Amino acid sequence: MQLVIVESPAKAKTIEKYLGKDFKVLASYGHVRDLPPKDGSVRPDEDFAMDWELYRDKQSRFKEIADAAKKADRLVLATDPDREGEAISWHVRELLRNRKALPTKVDRVTFNAITKGAVTEAMKSPRELDQPLIDAYLARRALDYLYGFTLSPVLWRRLPGAKSAGRVQSVALRLVCEREREIEAFRPDEYWSVLAKLQHDGTAFDARLVRYDGKKLEKLTLGEEGSAMAARKAVEEGRFTVEEVETKPLKRNPAPPFTTSTLQQEAARKLGFSASHTMRLAQSLYEAGAITYMRTDGVQMDMSAIMAARDAIVERFSDDYRPEKPRFYSTKAKNAQEAHEAIRPTDFRKDRAGSGDEAKLYDLIFKRAMASQMATALLERTTVTLRDATGQHELRATGQVVKFPGYFAVYQEGRDDTDDDDEDEGLLPVLRKGDAPSKSAVEANQHFTQPPPRFSEASLVKRLEELGIGRPSTYASTIQTLRDRAYVRMEKNRFFAEESGRLLTAFLERFFPTYVAYEFTAGMEDELDEVSAGNEAWKTLLEAFWKDFKPKTEEVMEKKPSEVTEVLDEYLSDFLFPERADGKDPRFCPLCEQEGRDGGRLALRGGRYGAFVACANYPDCKYTRRFAQPGADGEDPADDGVMGEDPETGLPVERKSGRFGPYVQLGEGKEAKRASIPKDLDDFDLEWAIKLLNLPRIVGQHPETGKDIEAAIGRYGPYLRHDGKYGKLSNTREVFEVGMNRAVDILAQSANRGGGRAKAEPIKTLGEHPTSGGEMKVMPGRYGPYVTDGTTNATIPKDMKPEDVTEAQAIELIDARAAKGPAKKKRKAPAKKKAPAKKAAAKKAPAKKAAATKPAAKKKAAPKKTEAE
């Protein structure tokens, strides 16, 4: 029997169909082991010795693999054709060797597509494990471990509230924060454009003023309304005739087929998919045999695929759409090193695969791959120059015509808003020198220069790739980590830097500038590529890194927290204390200003739960402003106060700031009503405050039970409740707007999904557990909040608020609970409690039957108890 190991059960199921009865295919379910999340898993002082630990949730699965391996004559390691796939194969081999279950013959095979031809052909060409690729994996894993486990404790002790840092993650975060600073520092410039609305032979077109008073107009030349109106008047009064008509042919060639990076970018632009969602869909399509391997830097296609694409082009269009020779592409991305193909369909005769979002992504991949082998698009651009009689003023009109669509018939690459905009490319009438088009209107339009746009997922991935930071296969997880740790947030598909992200970035830029430098991180990727090519020893790379990194962390640890905060206060001064409209000192305390106190200056301070802004007049002045803490929203507590009166009770409705954010209060003491202010209410006022304080709202009576349906806002957001069953609402406004029909529908859908009671929402979502790989969440429980990685549940201590649990604390709690092993069931406790009751009953019961029966039972039970003890 031959045992084949792949990563996923879907892949195993597909491959087993292609192989004969002599083969057994099992899945490892991804990585089988990793470095334990504790100090000492990588030991630099022992020549970078590394300890590995089998994932707890993989123990039973790997036992199945080991049992099968003992019966096998040959082990075939058929994991993915990249560095991670090579690493998984290495781990499986080493674990089997340690268990003395390794077959005599061990082979490694790779295939770029899960098709019968690709799999059977790969089985004929086995090879040994690629040691340089394994070394590159070991170096990368050790680097990430040493970076995170050495730097994160520094953050916890010197930057309270910070969660963690990562070698690539922190640099990606720096990009987002730098863009935020650029936007804040940007000062818009006013400029004007003059546009003439012209008409010739019944065709209207626009012409832009490009020369005025004999001088060429640059973008900002017309910088104010007066000069713009003078230019407009000159155009209105002038008679413009055509002086030049220039026609140029243009050619547009198709883009190459997708790589991992370009697929993520285009899926974000055209389909609105996140990088992680795109990769999940691509994984499913790959495992179903629909596309080639989806983690790649390569842009080339196999020759047989190129010929299949060319045949499909003729079949769908005509021979004119197929170029004379096949197109070949080369990778331009920095650090490109993957050897396999671009992402393409495995069969160009199939233009559809999957359903829903999978089908949309397949359609994108199919069209991009086919277009890459199609004919050039032929266009014609016409530029018309018009001058007035004085020759001092000049208008220009441009137009573009597609003469032959070529690959445009299938696909055009998306564009980022960072790309330069082309001039107007509308159709133009046929114009000749001397023609004088008529003017219907002349416009002078005001514009302002725009700041650089915030990153979208597509543009951030593109920028990371341009800088050579990270690997395309890691971009999705890197971006997701930034979001999970609340360092960034997404609004309208754009990244906004959160305060916690800015604080962490400022700390790293100030105290660890080398390790968040783009050149350093990209240079590290270059060295890792040298390792994978066999040109550099992986431990040499680690030695060079550790030699400088360890002393730097020790140096920062010696600093007092107050020293760190003082440096960050100065470093973040412009952001923390922006210029005031009244010209006063931005650091002047608003409460001291209101109450007439002198010397109230604001500064950044560090506390148990993170950074905050406080007044120098403390304790006389209690002004504080949270910064980079849970619940921090940048609102000024000085704005808190009485919002108005409740019309029913006449009591004041007060707005206040608490540790977990702003809230409203009606009344005082134990009888007071309180309600948190949701973040999705931009126009919050007294009316909204009263609505929140009066919750829950009765929507009506359920038509089947006659019981009330309530709408309210709970710990995990807005919801509906009816007869002990729950349904989730999408936003705060829906609590007050949802009607009976919609409410009944939501409750019914919730019951179908969760068997009645809605599944509890997590209190807080953290990153992946470093050992199990499961996502860590803080959850509400029947007996109190707990933290889980999907495998192990650990109760949160009573003195620890669930909202404040950090990633490090979660790991510690989970690992401590797992170390204790499964909970033991105490079955004898009930028997001990019942024994005294039986004695009492025997004494009180005069009935002969009871007296005769119970002592007999007691006599039998006593020896058993004694034996058990």
Side-chain angles (χ1 to χ4, degrees):
M1 187 262 287
Q2 300 183 59
L3 177 63
V4 181
I5 302 297
V6 296
E7 293 95 336
S8 73
K11 189 175 175 181
K13 188 176 181 181
T14 304
I15 290 173
E16 203 161 43
K17 295 177 184 176
Y18 302 146
L19 302 176
K21 295 181 180 179
D22 187 41
F23 290 86
K24 181 177 181 65
V25 185
L26 293 177
S28 70
Y29 288 80
H31 273 283
V32 292
R33 64 177 186 173
D34 197 7
L35 299 170
K38 60 183 181 182
D39 289 335
S41 294
V42 178
R43 298 183 294 283
D45 296 338
E46 298 178 29
D47 196 27
F48 295 97
M50 302 170 75
D51 292 334
W52 300 97
E53 182 178 78
L54 180 67
Y55 289 132
R56 281 190 295 276
D57 61 338
K58 298 289 178 70
Q59 290 179 5
S60 60
R61 298 192 191 283
F62 197 80
K63 184 180 183 301
E64 183 184 3
I65 292 174
D67 290 343
K70 290 176 182 177
K71 303 173 186 176
D73 305 315
R74 179 192 180 207
L75 174 67
V76 181
L77 300 166
T79 49
D80 288 341
D82 59 5
R83 189 158 41 204
E84 289 299 306
E86 207 73 17
I88 292 172
S89 287
W90 176 77
H91 279 301
V92 169
R93 186 190 69 178
E94 294 303 296
L95 275 169
L96 290 176
R97 177 177 287 158
N98 295 341
R99 296 192 179 195
K100 297 182 179 179
L102 191 67
T104 307
K105 188 172 179 57
V106 179
D107 287 323
R108 170 81 167 114
V109 301
T110 59
F111 34 81
N112 193 43
I114 305 178
T115 61
K116 187 172 184 178
V119 172
T120 53
E121 192 62 32
M123 290 294 175
K124 297 175 185 176
S125 307
R127 62 168 172 82
E128 294 184 356
L129 284 170
D130 189 325
Q131 192 59 46
L133 271 186
I134 296 167
D135 288 346
Y137 160 77
L138 293 172
R140 184 182 291 274
R141 188 66 194 90
L143 271 174
D144 291 340
Y145 173 92
L146 291 172
Y147 190 102
F149 269 80
T150 308
L151 186 54
S152 292
V154 179
L155 295 177
W156 302 334
R157 291 173 177 82
R158 294 296 173 265
L159 194 69
K163 296 175 182 176
S164 66
R167 187 175 58 86
V168 176
Q169 160 202 323
S170 297
V171 180
L173 177 60
R174 181 188 172 191
L175 279 171
V176 176
C177 292
E178 277 194 346
R179 180 57 56 87
E180 203 76 38
R181 289 198 292 265
E182 289 173 17
I183 293 170
E184 289 167 357
F186 180 82
R187 296 294 178 265
D189 289 318
E190 180 184 7
Y191 68 97
W192 292 71
S193 63
V194 176
L195 194 71
K197 300 285 186 179
L198 306 178
Q199 193 173 46
H200 186 73
D201 288 342
T203 301
F205 64 100
D206 295 339
R208 190 179 300 273
L209 181 66
V210 295
R211 187 177 292 272
Y212 174 59
D213 280 345
K215 296 179 182 178
K216 182 181 178 181
L217 291 182
E218 303 294 343
K219 185 174 184 177
L220 301 178
T221 302
L222 301 178
E224 43 82 27
E225 186 175 10
S227 59
M229 292 305 164
R232 173 187 173 184
K233 184 178 181 182
V235 174
E236 287 176 332
E237 294 177 350
R239 184 176 182 274
F240 287 82
T241 57
V242 176
E243 291 293 326
E244 297 174 16
V245 178
E246 183 181 22
T247 300
K248 285 185 178 180
L250 289 177
K251 294 183 178 181
R252 295 274 177 87
N253 291 318
F258 282 130
T259 62
T260 303
S261 168
T262 54
L263 176 63
Q264 291 174 6
Q265 292 173 46
E266 281 290 83
R269 294 186 194 109
K270 292 185 182 298
L271 303 176
F273 292 168
S274 68
S276 55
H277 185 54
T278 297
M279 295 311 293
R280 281 194 295 270
L281 298 173
Q283 179 84 34
S284 297
L285 290 170
Y286 167 65
E287 291 177 350
I291 63 171
T292 54
Y293 190 53
M294 67 288 165
R295 292 190 178 92
T296 174
D297 283 329
V299 290
Q300 66 278 6
M301 290 200 302
D302 181 77
M303 195 64 200
S304 62
I306 290 175
M307 299 312 294
R310 288 169 61 82
D311 291 343
I313 291 165
V314 174
E315 185 178 325
R316 284 171 172 75
F317 299 95
S318 70
D319 203 52
D320 294 335
Y321 286 81
R322 179 177 65 180
E324 289 185 14
K325 297 179 181 179
R327 295 184 183 276
F328 298 97
Y329 299 91
S330 59
T331 304
K332 296 179 181 179
K334 188 178 179 182
N335 289 330
Q337 52 86 37
E338 303 291 0
H340 36 274
E341 286 187 79
I343 305 169
R344 63 165 176 84
T346 55
D347 187 350
F348 277 95
R349 292 170 299 181
K350 291 176 59 178
D351 59 1
R352 290 181 178 84
S355 60
D357 285 353
E358 277 185 20
K360 293 177 184 177
L361 189 67
Y362 180 82
D363 183 64
L364 198 67
I365 293 168
F366 180 90
K367 288 179 177 178
R368 172 81 166 225
M370 175 175 280
S372 73
Q373 288 299 321
M374 291 180 71
T376 300
L378 304 179
L379 303 93
E380 187 177 82
R381 174 177 286 177
T382 301
T383 302
V384 179
T385 302
L386 305 96
R387 295 193 186 97
D388 71 342
T390 67
Q392 296 294 298
H393 312 311
E394 188 175 293
L395 300 174
R396 181 176 297 157
T398 59
Q400 186 169 284
V401 177
V402 176
K403 293 292 187 180
F404 174 67
Y407 77 92
F408 279 5
V410 171
Y411 183 88
Q412 288 190 58
E413 190 174 18
R415 290 160 53 88
D416 292 318
D417 48 14
T418 53
D419 298 330
D420 292 333
D421 292 330
D422 289 333
E423 293 183 18
D424 297 335
E425 299 290 356
L427 291 174
L428 293 177
V430 177
L431 293 164
R432 299 176 179 82
K433 186 174 181 178
D435 285 342
S438 60
K439 289 195 295 283
S440 58
V442 180
E443 298 176 351
N445 299 311
Q446 184 186 37
H447 310 275
F448 292 93
T449 53
Q450 296 297 310
R454 288 183 172 86
F455 284 110
S456 62
E457 282 214 8
S459 58
L460 182 57
V461 166
K462 183 179 180 181
R463 186 62 183 141
L464 287 168
E465 187 178 38
E466 289 171 349
L467 292 170
I469 293 169
R471 305 298 317 152
S473 58
T474 65
Y475 291 154
S477 60
T478 297
I479 291 171
Q480 191 60 46
T481 298
L482 295 180
R483 298 178 67 176
D484 290 344
R485 292 177 183 169
Y487 291 149
V488 300
R489 71 180 187 277
M490 292 291 283
E491 290 184 11
K492 297 180 180 178
N493 295 322
R494 296 284 164 175
F495 286 105
F496 286 73
E498 293 282 23
E499 289 181 345
S500 56
R502 297 189 69 149
L503 183 65
L504 174 59
T505 298
F507 177 84
L508 295 174
E509 286 181 321
R510 181 59 186 84
F511 294 102
F512 294 92
T514 299
Y515 303 100
V516 287
Y518 304 136
E519 300 80 8
F520 172 83
T521 311
M524 191 65 71
E525 294 296 340
D526 289 335
E527 288 196 67
L528 287 166
D529 288 342
E530 287 296 301
V531 173
S532 65
N535 298 329
E536 184 178 351
W538 67 280
K539 291 183 180 179
T540 302
L541 183 156
L542 292 176
E543 285 170 2
F545 168 78
W546 190 247
K547 179 183 176 182
D548 297 325
F549 184 67
K550 180 60 175 175
K552 185 63 179 175
T553 58
E554 292 171 346
E555 174 192 326
V556 177
M557 279 294 283
E558 291 175 0
K559 296 183 180 295
K560 296 178 181 178
S562 58
E563 291 181 82
V564 172
T565 307
E566 186 177 342
V567 170
L568 294 178
D569 174 84
E570 184 63 31
Y571 199 78
L572 290 167
S573 178
D574 291 342
F575 174 64
L576 290 170
F577 312 108
E579 292 182 6
R580 290 173 48 157
D582 58 10
K584 293 183 179 179
D585 184 355
R587 287 180 178 264
F588 197 81
C589 174
L591 284 183
C592 288
E593 187 176 23
Q594 285 179 10
E595 298 175 12
R597 280 190 297 268
D598 294 328
R601 281 180 58 78
L602 302 178
L604 187 68
R605 296 285 183 265
R608 181 180 177 186
Y609 302 106
F612 63 95
V613 174
C615 179
N617 279 335
Y618 181 85
D620 292 334
C621 178
K622 296 292 197 303
Y623 177 89
T624 60
R625 186 175 78 226
R626 294 176 309 282
F627 179 71
Q629 295 183 43
D633 51 18
E635 293 190 48
D636 193 336
D639 293 336
D640 292 353
V642 177
M643 299 182 69
E645 287 187 358
D646 176 32
E648 290 188 12
T649 64
L651 294 172
V653 177
E654 297 177 272
R655 178 190 174 114
K656 297 188 175 185
S657 292
R659 181 177 164 194
F660 301 109
Y663 65 96
V664 288
Q665 178 173 309
L666 177 67
E668 295 293 338
K670 294 181 180 179
E671 303 300 321
K673 286 185 178 181
R674 296 180 181 86
S676 294
I677 301 176
K679 290 185 177 181
D680 59 349
L681 292 180
D682 298 327
D683 52 347
F684 188 75
D685 55 15
L686 178 62
E687 183 180 352
W688 273 114
I690 293 170
K691 283 184 178 181
L692 292 171
L693 290 164
N694 285 330
L695 288 177
R697 165 185 168 241
I698 304 299
V699 179
Q701 284 72 44
H702 195 287
E704 293 180 5
T705 66
K707 295 182 179 180
D708 287 344
I709 298 176
E710 294 180 346
I713 300 173
R715 189 175 189 178
Y716 313 114
Y719 67 91
L720 290 169
R721 178 173 59 199
H722 163 255
D723 196 20
K725 297 176 183 177
Y726 296 79
K728 188 176 181 180
L729 295 174
S730 58
N731 56 59
T732 300
R733 294 177 187 275
E734 197 171 9
V735 172
F736 303 96
E737 296 171 357
V738 65
M740 177 60 70
N741 292 338
R742 173 72 176 145
V744 171
D745 183 48
I746 290 173
L747 289 165
Q749 290 181 28
S750 178
N752 291 335
R753 284 194 302 268
R757 191 178 184 87
K759 188 177 179 181
E761 293 283 331
I763 299 170
K764 189 175 186 180
T765 301
L766 304 167
E768 290 184 358
H769 189 281
T771 301
S772 69
E775 185 181 44
M776 296 187 294
K777 298 178 181 178
V778 179
M779 300 292 295
R782 184 178 179 184
Y783 304 107
Y786 64 94
V787 63
T788 181
D789 63 349
T791 303
T792 302
N793 298 344
T795 302
I796 295 173
K798 291 182 179 179
D799 61 348
M800 186 184 296
K801 288 191 174 292
E803 297 86 353
D804 297 337
V805 173
T806 66
E807 192 164 303
Q809 290 170 331
I811 293 170
E812 186 179 347
L813 289 169
I814 290 170
D815 288 349
R817 181 66 191 87
K820 293 180 181 178
K824 294 180 181 179
K825 297 181 179 179
K826 298 180 180 178
R827 299 184 178 183
K828 294 177 182 178
K832 290 180 180 179
K833 289 180 181 178
K834 288 179 182 178
K838 289 179 181 178
K839 289 179 182 179
K843 289 179 181 178
K844 291 178 182 179
K848 291 181 180 180
K849 288 183 180 178
T853 304
K854 288 181 181 177
K858 189 174 79 171
K859 285 178 183 178
K860 288 182 181 179
K864 287 185 180 179
K865 187 176 180 182
T866 305
E867 288 170 12
E869 291 173 348

